[in-house]
Amino acid sequence: ELVVAGGQKSISKLAPHLQPFSEVELMVAPGQKLDHLAAASLRRVYLKPPYSLPTVVLATSFLEVADMLAQPGQAENNLFLLLRRYVSELQKLTVGTAWRPGARNLLASFLLEVISSSGLGPHLRVCEACGGELGKEAVCFSWPDHGFYHQACLKPGLTAVAVTSATVAWLTRRAGDESGQPQDALAFLTDYFQGHMGRELYTLKVLRSILEVCPVIQLR
């Protein structure tokens, strides 16, 4: 968190080095209340103009998710490397009919890796009650317990949502099958992440509309 004096002026020496969706090396000057940006050097631009608006929204969602997890003053090396890897993939998205499937897969894969690497991920292969394999049948997910259950293993009064077997299969593969269409899994992952964060993320809300992803899980 830095103060960038005059950074928005077109004549600022810092402006060319502070482009959107870029990797920048910074020199930080400590201040009494807030640190100040003393110098900046542009290292790499991951998304260049002319911008595709849907791709910009997708890229911004990556940044917003990372910003929610990062804490000021703490190194987040794993999160940084994960963010860099997925932002690098944005240029490969083809504008046209293939954009939505590619974007769905990229966003779902990113959310799954972020959730798993941050220690927030649920057990994807076993039932929280009996410890048995989830299998191919439909299961339920408990928000209070953050785990999956066989329908027969649900405890009385437990708040849970029905999750399709396709969702569980995609999550278990950890996005390994790029030919899959993870609409169900993406709806689950966006709800799961926002539930942990305690608020709705604007970019994820917009993306669900762009990607035509609707909630497919219902309260039990």
Side-chain angles (χ1 to χ4, degrees), residues 119-192:
L120 302 176
H123 296 138
L124 294 172
R125 299 182 183 275
V126 297
C127 172
E128 293 291 330
C130 70
E133 292 286 336
L134 294 178
K136 297 182 179 180
E137 70 275 11
V139 297
C140 294
F141 180 80
S142 167
W143 293 110
D145 293 352
H146 301 295
F148 290 96
Y149 286 84
H150 295 124
Q151 291 185 349
C153 296
L154 279 177
K155 296 176 285 187
L158 183 65
T159 301
V161 294
V163 181
T164 64
S165 57
T167 295
V168 178
W170 193 91
L171 293 172
T172 303
R173 288 197 305 269
R174 292 185 178 274
D177 182 7
E178 294 187 2
S179 63
Q181 298 298 316
Q183 290 100 324
D184 294 5
L186 183 53
F188 172 79
L189 287 167
T190 53
D191 288 343
Y192 186 87

Side-chain angles (χ1 to χ4, degrees), residues 42-196:
L42 183 64
R43 299 182 62 180
R44 182 179 176 185
V45 179
Y46 291 94
L47 202 61
K48 300 177 181 179
Y51 296 122
S52 163
L53 182 56
T55 302
V56 166
V57 177
L58 178 60
T60 306
S61 73
F62 291 165
L63 300 178
E64 188 175 16
V65 166
D67 189 54
M68 289 292 294
L69 292 172
Q71 299 296 321
Q74 295 185 14
E76 298 283 0
N77 294 329
N78 291 335
L79 182 60
F80 173 74
L81 294 175
L82 186 64
L83 181 62
R84 173 199 276 170
R85 177 156 57 89
Y86 275 91
V87 174
S88 300
E89 295 292 320
L90 293 171
Q91 293 282 11
K92 299 179 182 179
L93 289 177
T94 303
V95 178
T97 56
W99 186 89
R100 278 195 179 93
R104 288 191 196 107
N105 193 76
L106 197 62
L107 178 58
S109 302
F110 175 70
L111 287 173
L112 182 58
E113 285 208 54
V114 164
I115 290 169
S116 301
S117 65
S118 61
L120 302 176
H123 296 138
L124 294 172
R125 299 182 183 275
V126 297
C127 172
E128 293 291 330
C130 70
E133 292 286 336
L134 294 178
K136 297 182 179 180
E137 70 275 11
V139 297
C140 294
F141 180 80
S142 167
W143 293 110
D145 293 352
H146 301 295
F148 290 96
Y149 286 84
H150 295 124
Q151 291 185 349
C153 296
L154 279 177
K155 296 176 285 187
L158 183 65
T159 301
V161 294
V163 181
T164 64
S165 57
T167 295
V168 178
W170 193 91
L171 293 172
T172 303
R173 288 197 305 269
R174 292 185 178 274
D177 182 7
E178 294 187 2
S179 63
Q181 298 298 316
Q183 290 100 324
D184 294 5
L186 183 53
F188 172 79
L189 287 167
T190 53
D191 288 343
Y192 186 87
F193 182 80
Q194 292 175 129
H196 269 293

